Structure formats: structure tokens, C-alpha cells
């Protein structure tokens, strides 16, 4: 079992930094790492911060089993709810299946079923801190977030920290 699965809480930033706002998860993990002194909970040995990129489903979530001591997974990613760009929304696993479209990675692999199974089979709490995207540029490369999504990062960090306390 990879060491990161021997924690109580995983915080996963998901998405692809190459495609505009899809890099939200990467920027969230980067900011959380920068704020470890301000938020001591981020230094806890019980918590693992991971920039999961586009591999969360294949390299992290699919490895969880009954032996995994995880109690909670917090996912930071963009969402597409038709909200104002940069709007933040907290979703629990019960919220996810009702969405007409929910993609966590650039390969359009829907994770709703996987997240529900992890919750149902292993009792791991799932929380998604979603940020309404403005522009995802794939296949064109854009290495920066929109201003709206950039401006939401500090509030999203507070939402993640609240989930850790």
C-alpha cells in the first residue's frame, strides 16, 4: 500500500495544469503547501496533500480497499454547474450522482460511481470542493487560471481547512 494511503485524510487536487481553469486543483495544493505555517493542521501526520493531476482515479482511488485507514477524502477540482465563474460549491457524495456531468480529470473519467463505492464499501467520507470554471482550453494549452478562479483559491483553501478540523 502506498504511504499516502496510510493517512486518515487525503486532500487531492485534481485536473490538468495545461488547460486553463482545469489547473485549479494543482493551484489549490500549491497554496495549501504554502500556508502550512498559517494553518498548522496542514502539517498533521494524519493528512496527505497530493497534486493528483489527472491520475486520481487510476493511481490513488482505485488502490483503496478494506485495509486502507482513510476516513475522509477531500477533492479540489473545477465543476461545471453553470454558476458564476469562481463560485465555490461543497459537494458530498450524495450530491454527485444527481449531476448531469461531473468529470474530475482531463480524460473525462467520471468518478461519481467510484466515489460512491469508496463511501459505501469502506465508509470513507467524500467531500468535493468545486470551483465553477470559466474556461477549460483543452486541447489548447493555457498555463493560467481565469481571474475569477484565481480569486476563489483563498476561500477554497479555507473550505478545505474547515474540512480538516
Amino acid at each position: 500500500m502506498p504511504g499516502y494511503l496510510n493517512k486518515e485524510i487525503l486532500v487531492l487536487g485534481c485536473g490538468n495544469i495545461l488547460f486553463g481553469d482545469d489547473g485549479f486543483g494543482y493551484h489549490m495544493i500549491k497554496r495549501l503547501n504554502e500556508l502550512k505555517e498559517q494553518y498548522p493542521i496542514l502539517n498533521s501526520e494524519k493528512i496527505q496533500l497530493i497534486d493528483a493531476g489527472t491520475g486520481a482515479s487510476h493511481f490513488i482511488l482505485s488502490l483503496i480497499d478494506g485495509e486502507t485507514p482513510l476516513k475522509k477524502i477531500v477533492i479540489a477540482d473545477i465543476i461545471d454547474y453553470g454558476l458564476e465563474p469562481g463560485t465555490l460549491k461543497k459537494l458530498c457524495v450524495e450530491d454527485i450522482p444527481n449531476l448531469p456531468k461531473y468529470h474530475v480529470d482531463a480524460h473525462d473519467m467520471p468518478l461519481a460511481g467510484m466515489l460512491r463505492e469508496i463511501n459505501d464499501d469502506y465508509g470513507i467520507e467524500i467531500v468535493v470542493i468545486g470551483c465553477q470554471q470559466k474556461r477549460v482550453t483543452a486541447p489548447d494549452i493555457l498555463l493560467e487560471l481565469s481571474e475569477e478562479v484565481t480569486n476563489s483559491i483563498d476561500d477554497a483553501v479555507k473550505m478545505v481547512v474547515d474540512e480538516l478540523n
Side-chain angles (χ1 to χ4, degrees), residues 61-165:
L61 300 174
S62 66
L63 302 178
I64 294 172
D65 61 21
E67 303 296 317
T68 307
L70 283 171
K71 295 180 178 173
K72 186 172 191 174
I73 299 172
V74 180
I75 297 173
D77 199 6
I78 57 167
I79 56 174
D80 189 7
Y81 276 58
L83 304 169
E84 289 293 319
T87 301
L88 297 170
K89 190 169 183 70
K90 175 184 165 183
L91 303 166
C92 297
V93 73
E94 298 82 14
D95 301 322
I96 296 171
N98 296 326
L99 302 177
K101 177 183 174 187
Y102 184 79
H103 303 290
V104 173
D105 67 29
H107 304 286
D108 286 342
M109 173 129 183
L111 293 181
M114 181 177 278
L115 294 174
R116 178 170 279 292
E117 285 178 18
I118 290 170
N119 179 260
D120 290 347
D121 295 349
Y122 309 118
I124 298 172
E125 181 182 4
I126 305 289
V127 175
V128 177
I129 305 298
C131 180
Q132 176 64 45
Q133 65 177 354
K134 181 175 184 180
R135 62 177 181 238
V136 174
T137 60
D140 295 323
I141 294 174
L142 177 64
L143 296 175
E144 57 190 53
L145 301 175
S146 65
E147 180 179 349
E148 294 88 343
V149 170
T150 298
N151 291 339
S152 72
I153 287 182
D154 285 342
D155 288 337
V157 163
K158 291 175 187 169
M159 293 172 75
V160 169
V161 170
D162 286 346
E163 292 299 321
L164 303 179
N165 288 315

